[in-house]
């Protein structure tokens, strides 16, 4: 919510008392404020998510998956692909779908962070990218709820649903990422913020800006996401599900009183599988 | 433009804190001013630093040089703005016809505004590029607060595994090529992607077992005190409160005189919120031990970074509320005028080059 407020704040600022003659250069709400608020929200969210994921198994899995995804992004940079296509969303969505919202958020945010560190992509855009990529992973379990309720697991509909979801995020990701520049860098024109026309006019001018500057770029990302999920989604999902089962072991530390009947309540050290 | 690991062969002992302070200062200055004369000076200084540092660190040539990047971004932003924004009174030409959003007057003001945007964006790119040139990746990890130790572990694992993952990708590709595999269609990537993913997951399993066997996270982590956790939320709420008068300036007038008071004090609320947030993080990370393979020391040279940014930043801060306020918050609309240029501010901006003294130390 805080992240959304940060991204929408420039709009609200202009709508509630922003003066047209000042809005271009002397706005009260600057990119610096946006970055500050977004940064704090991201830090809070990351702290809360990591607090709930201290299991070494999850840390190792996340680390290795982030490494694989960052390698994919590195290849994407090394081999220029037209438009905004990036293979990173494929794994972010699928891991979020299989391992849950927290894992998905961390996967999205950390992939962007680590890949930015190795490719020199650190910049003021990074907190926004991390937050949005985190949202991509965090929202993926929504598909899982639908699939589970309709008992579609393993079917073609599951793949179609995931492909559609990834395609939608391909467009939404670009639309969200524009928000940190559009209010501040677009000079008065049909595409700039029209504060006098209210919300409708504001949305219309943003839609125009998006259509003119970003749609083609984002369509490439969207199509790429859908293609990757459609082509490779099923085997990757199977692999992730299989590993999820293998990762459900618990290390029982020495001196721990085991309630499990197999240990007869004795103090022991060992490995206990949670796989049923 | 890419550093491509150039940072790792340089600056093993460079303290990241002064550099990050310098970066934050440059970002603040780029955010504050819209005076293209000052921006020109800032971008010029950043370009010079980039060129000198690239030579010092033997940075591998990227796709495009920093200077070309600056010219390209500035040109693109100027042309885009000139064609799409028809505001302003100094008409240079007119695009005839009824082309949507293109037809209309091309104005000098739009050109200047676009050029200013381009310079701000180039400044942002260049300042981060400089940091990437100077600081090794491990220095970034050292900057992660202790409260985020789990995330730092994940990032460290990821950074460590990237080279081996890439090596593995090449091995898989070679192995598949020997078997007659060719990359013709998108589906041909599957025999490369799946072994990469599966071997990565296997390694994750082995790593998890190894970490657990070596006692990682074997001790029960003390849960964070409720007060400290609450302080994080309070810090964020205070920050949002500090921003509310900026987000809803007129809507807050219903509280009358006090709205003005809140507005005036909002900067302090922002600082207070940030401080509470940072203190809570510090407190929660204080019990975590951080082993350091290579420590950083604070030397006299590190003060150069602080001075290099402190001087122009102080003058900017003084001018922001003083008589040269207009020179910082310059706006070319509605009629273009040459912005006010303060000599002292201009000279102080050259101080940005002072950080180069910090990089002249020997490579360890």
């Amino acid at each position: 919510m805080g992240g959304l407020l940060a991204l929408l704040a420039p709009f609200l600022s202009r709508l509630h008392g922003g003066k047209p003659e000042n809005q271009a250069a002397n706005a009260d709400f600057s990119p610096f404020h946006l970055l500050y608020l977004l940064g704090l929200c991201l830090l809070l969210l990351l702290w809360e998510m990591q607090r709930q994921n201290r299991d070494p198994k999850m840390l190792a899995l996340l680390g290795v998956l982030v490494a694989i995804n960052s390698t994919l992004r590195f290849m994407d940079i090394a081999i220029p692909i037209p438009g905004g296509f990036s293979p990173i969303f494929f794994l972010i969505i699928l891991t979020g779908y299989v391992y849950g919202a927290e894992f998905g958020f961390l996967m999205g945010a950390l992939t962007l962070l680590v890949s930015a560190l190795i490719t020199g992509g650190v910049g003021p855009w990074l907190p926004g990218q991390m937050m949005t990529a985190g949202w991509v992973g965090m929202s993926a379990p929504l598909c899982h709820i639908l699939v589970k309720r309709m008992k579609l697991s393993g079917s073609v509909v599951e793949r179609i649903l995931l492909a559609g979801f990834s395609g939608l995020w391909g467009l939404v990701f670009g639309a969200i990422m524009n928000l940190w520049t559009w209010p501040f860098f677009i000079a008065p024109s049909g595409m700039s913020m029209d504060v006098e026309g209210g919300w409708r006019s504001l949305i219309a001018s943003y839609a125009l800006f998006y259509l003119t500057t970003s749609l083609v770029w984002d369509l490439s990302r969207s199509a790429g996401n859908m293609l990757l999920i459609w082509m490779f989604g099923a085997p990757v999902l199977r692999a992730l599900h299989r590993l999820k089962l293998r990762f459900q072991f618990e290390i029982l530390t020495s001196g721990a009183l085991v309630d499990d009947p197999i240990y007869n309540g004795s103090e022991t050290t060992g490995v206990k599988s949670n796989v049923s | 433009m890419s550093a491509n690991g150039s940072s790792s062969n340089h600056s093993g002992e460079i303290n990241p804190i002064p550099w990050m302070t310098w970066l934050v200062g440059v970002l603040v200055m780029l955010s504050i001013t819209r005076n293209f004369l000052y921006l020109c000076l800032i971008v010029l200084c950043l370009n010079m630093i980039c060129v000198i540092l690239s030579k010092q660190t033997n940075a591998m040539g990227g796709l495009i040089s920093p200077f070309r990047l600056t010219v390209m971004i500035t040109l693109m932003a100027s042309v885009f703005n000139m064609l799409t924004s028809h505001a302003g009174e100094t008409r240079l030409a007119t695009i005839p016809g009824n082309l949507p959003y293109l037809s209309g007057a091309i104005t000098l003001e739009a050109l200047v505004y676009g050029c200013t945007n381009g310079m701000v964006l180039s400044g942002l790119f260049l300042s981060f590029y400089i940091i990437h040139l100077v600081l090794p990746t491990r220095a970034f990890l050292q900057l992660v607060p202790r409260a985020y130790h789990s995330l730092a572990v994940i990032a460290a694992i990821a950074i460590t595994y990237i080279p081996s993952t890439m090596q593995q990708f090449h091995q898989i590709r070679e192995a598949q090529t020997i078997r007659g595999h060719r990359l013709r269609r998108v589906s041909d990537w599957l025999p490369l992607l799946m072994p990469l993913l599966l071997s990565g997951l296997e390694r994750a399993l082995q790593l998890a077992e190894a970490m657990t066997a070596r006692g990682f996270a074997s001790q029960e982590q003390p849960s964070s005190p409720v007060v400290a956790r609450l302080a994080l939320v309070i810090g964020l709420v205070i920050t949002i409160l500090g921003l509310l008068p900026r987000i809803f300036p007129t809507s807050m007038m219903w509280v009358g005189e006090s709205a003005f008071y809140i507005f005036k004090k909002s900067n302090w609320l922002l600082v207070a919120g940030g401080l509470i947030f940072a203190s809570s993080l510090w407190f929660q990370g204080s019990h975590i031990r951080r082993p350091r393979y290579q420590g950083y020391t604070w030397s006299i040279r590190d003060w150069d970074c602080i001075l290099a940014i402190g001087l122009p930043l102080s003058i900017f801060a003084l001018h922001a509320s003083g008589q040269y306020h207009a020179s910082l918050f310059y706006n070319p609309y509605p009629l273009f005028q040459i912005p006010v240029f303060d000599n002292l501010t201009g000279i102080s901006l050259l101080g940005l080059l002072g950080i180069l003294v910090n990089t002249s130390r020997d490579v360890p």
Side-chain angles (χ1 to χ4, degrees):
Chain A
M1 290 304 287
L4 268 181
L5 177 71
L7 289 168
L8 293 177
F11 300 86
L12 300 168
S13 167
R14 304 298 203 287
L15 280 173
H16 292 80
K19 294 169 187 167
E21 63 268 25
N22 285 341
Q23 66 170 300
N26 201 12
D28 286 329
F29 196 90
S30 67
F32 183 71
H33 293 115
L34 187 147
L35 196 64
Y36 186 60
L37 184 58
L38 200 62
L40 286 189
C41 293
L42 183 66
L43 284 175
L44 183 66
L45 212 51
L46 282 175
W47 181 81
E48 187 57 33
M49 298 274 180
Q50 68 131 29
R51 200 174 64 84
Q52 294 168 14
N53 286 283
R54 280 179 177 165
D55 181 11
K57 299 192 291 287
M58 280 295 126
L59 296 188
L61 180 61
L62 202 48
V64 173
L65 283 172
V66 167
I68 294 173
N69 222 9
S70 303
T71 310
L72 290 177
R73 192 180 183 196
F74 195 78
M75 287 173 194
D76 168 38
I77 290 170
I79 311 163
I81 300 164
F85 170 73
S86 177
I88 59 165
F89 294 100
F90 166 69
L91 264 185
I92 293 173
I93 290 171
L94 292 188
T95 51
Y97 178 74
V98 175
Y99 298 122
E102 285 156 12
F103 194 96
F105 182 87
L106 288 176
M107 178 78 186
L110 291 175
T111 295
L112 267 290
L113 176 71
V114 171
S115 57
L117 285 178
I118 60 161
T119 58
V122 180
W125 48 86
L126 188 59
Q129 280 185 338
M130 284 173 69
M131 182 76 99
T132 317
W135 284 339
V136 175
M138 199 162 78
S139 57
L142 292 173
C143 295
H144 193 253
I145 296 169
L146 205 67
V147 166
K148 209 175 171 182
R149 277 195 185 166
M150 297 172 78
K151 295 178 181 170
L152 295 168
S153 193
S155 67
V156 183
V157 184
E158 184 188 26
R159 260 199 299 167
I160 293 173
L161 189 71
L162 279 170
F165 178 80
S166 66
L168 184 71
W169 260 117
L171 296 173
V172 175
F173 184 84
I176 293 176
M177 284 315 299
N178 278 342
L179 290 178
W180 82 273
T181 49
W182 180 62
F184 307 111
F185 291 101
I186 296 297
S189 67
M191 288 185 271
S192 64
M193 296 179 91
D194 177 13
V195 292
E196 290 174 333
W199 274 107
R200 278 187 187 173
S201 170
L202 198 68
I203 291 168
S205 51
Y206 182 70
L208 182 67
F209 171 76
Y210 183 78
L211 285 173
T212 317
T213 61
S214 311
L215 184 67
V216 177
W217 183 269
D218 288 351
L219 273 176
S220 155
R221 183 192 298 123
S222 179
N225 286 352
M226 286 201 283
L227 188 71
L228 285 180
I229 296 261
W230 182 251
M231 302 291 286
F232 311 135
V236 171
L237 271 179
R238 275 199 297 274
L240 291 175
H241 275 301
R242 196 163 60 237
L243 196 90
K244 189 181 179 185
L245 294 175
R246 286 184 64 190
F247 256 68
Q248 300 203 339
F249 66 87
E250 262 180 39
I251 302 290
L252 305 171
T253 53
S254 179
L257 189 64
V258 182
D259 295 330
D260 206 305
I262 199 169
Y263 297 109
N264 288 327
S266 59
E267 290 185 359
T268 186
T269 304
V271 178
K272 175 187 162 193
S273 173
N274 289 341
V275 182
S276 53
Chain B
M1 196 168 73
S2 164
N4 284 343
S6 56
S7 52
S8 59
N9 56 22
H10 180 73
S11 70
E13 293 172 358
I14 283 185
N15 191 340
I17 295 169
W19 282 93
M20 294 313 281
T21 314
W22 179 86
L23 174 71
V24 171
V26 173
L27 293 183
V28 170
M29 289 200 299
L30 286 170
S31 311
I32 286 178
T33 189
R34 303 291 295 183
N35 183 329
F36 62 86
L37 297 176
Y38 294 151
L39 283 171
C40 264
L41 265 175
I42 295 173
V43 171
L44 198 69
C45 287
L46 294 178
N47 263 297
M48 283 176 73
I49 296 168
C50 272
V51 170
I52 293 167
L53 282 180
S54 298
K55 281 183 183 167
Q56 276 185 11
T57 56
N58 298 320
M60 286 164 69
L63 291 173
I64 190 165
S65 75
F67 181 71
R68 281 187 186 171
L69 184 87
T70 308
V71 173
M72 205 174 78
I73 292 177
T74 312
L75 255 175
M76 278 171 66
S78 307
V79 171
F80 177 80
N81 204 49
M82 213 163 58
L83 293 176
T84 57
S85 172
H86 307 292
E89 292 177 10
T90 317
R91 186 174 289 221
L92 299 174
T94 306
I95 299 177
N98 292 316
L99 293 170
Y101 303 103
L102 290 178
S103 292
I106 291 178
T107 65
L108 180 64
E109 288 77 16
L111 175 72
V112 172
Y113 191 86
C115 183
T116 310
N117 281 340
M119 279 192 287
V120 172
L121 285 175
S122 333
L124 292 175
F125 274 110
L126 291 174
S127 53
F128 278 96
Y129 180 61
I130 288 168
I131 293 298
H132 197 73
L133 272 178
V134 175
L135 295 181
T137 310
R138 66 170 180 274
F140 287 105
L141 282 181
Q142 289 281 354
L143 289 170
V144 176
R146 290 182 191 199
Y148 291 97
H149 64 286
S150 299
L151 293 187
V153 168
I154 296 168
I157 291 171
I159 288 168
T160 314
Y161 268 77
I162 286 168
S164 60
T165 308
M166 292 185 82
Q167 195 182 11
Q168 201 155 30
F169 178 75
H170 289 302
Q171 285 171 349
I172 293 166
R173 196 172 174 182
E174 278 173 19
Q176 297 288 28
T177 310
I178 290 166
R179 288 181 189 132
H181 177 259
R182 296 284 178 273
L183 280 174
R184 293 194 189 94
R185 297 184 302 270
V186 181
S187 58
D188 293 336
W189 280 86
L190 191 63
L192 299 181
L193 186 71
M194 283 312 290
L196 185 74
L197 184 70
L198 290 174
S199 58
L201 296 177
E202 282 299 327
R203 273 185 300 163
L205 199 67
Q206 288 168 7
L207 182 68
E209 285 170 355
M211 282 165 77
T212 315
R214 282 165 177 77
F216 183 86
S218 59
Q219 288 179 334
E220 194 66 31
Q221 291 278 350
S223 59
S224 309
V226 180
V227 180
R229 287 162 61 186
L230 206 61
L232 279 177
V233 180
I234 291 171
L236 185 64
V237 170
I238 290 177
T239 307
I240 292 172
L241 280 177
L243 287 172
L244 280 183
R246 294 173 184 279
I247 299 171
F248 304 106
T250 51
S251 303
M252 292 203 66
M253 289 313 287
W254 63 272
V255 283
E257 284 293 311
S258 52
F260 181 69
Y261 181 78
I262 293 170
F263 186 74
K264 275 195 81 173
K265 298 288 174 191
S266 66
N267 281 339
W268 292 107
L269 284 175
L270 292 184
V271 175
L275 280 176
I276 292 170
F277 198 93
S279 311
S280 173
L281 282 184
W282 176 83
F283 177 75
Q284 291 181 63
S286 58
H287 67 277
I288 291 157
R289 204 164 52 87
R290 173 157 44 192
R292 281 178 194 270
Y293 172 67
Q294 196 169 23
Y296 298 105
T297 52
W298 190 282
S299 68
I300 294 176
R301 282 177 173 178
D302 292 324
W303 286 107
D304 295 329
C305 270
I306 306 291
L307 272 177
I309 195 64
L311 187 68
L313 200 59
S314 323
I315 291 174
F316 261 57
L318 281 174
H319 285 351
S321 53
Q323 60 171 328
Y324 288 103
H325 180 275
S327 82
L328 291 181
F329 302 111
Y330 167 76
N331 185 3
Y333 294 105
L335 181 66
F336 173 75
Q337 285 176 326
I338 299 284
V340 180
F341 184 83
D342 173 42
N343 292 333
L344 185 66
T345 312
I347 293 167
S348 75
L349 284 176
L350 296 177
L352 287 176
L353 296 170
I355 54 155
L356 289 171
V357 181
N358 198 352
T359 61
S360 59
R361 65 181 61 180
D362 294 328
V363 177

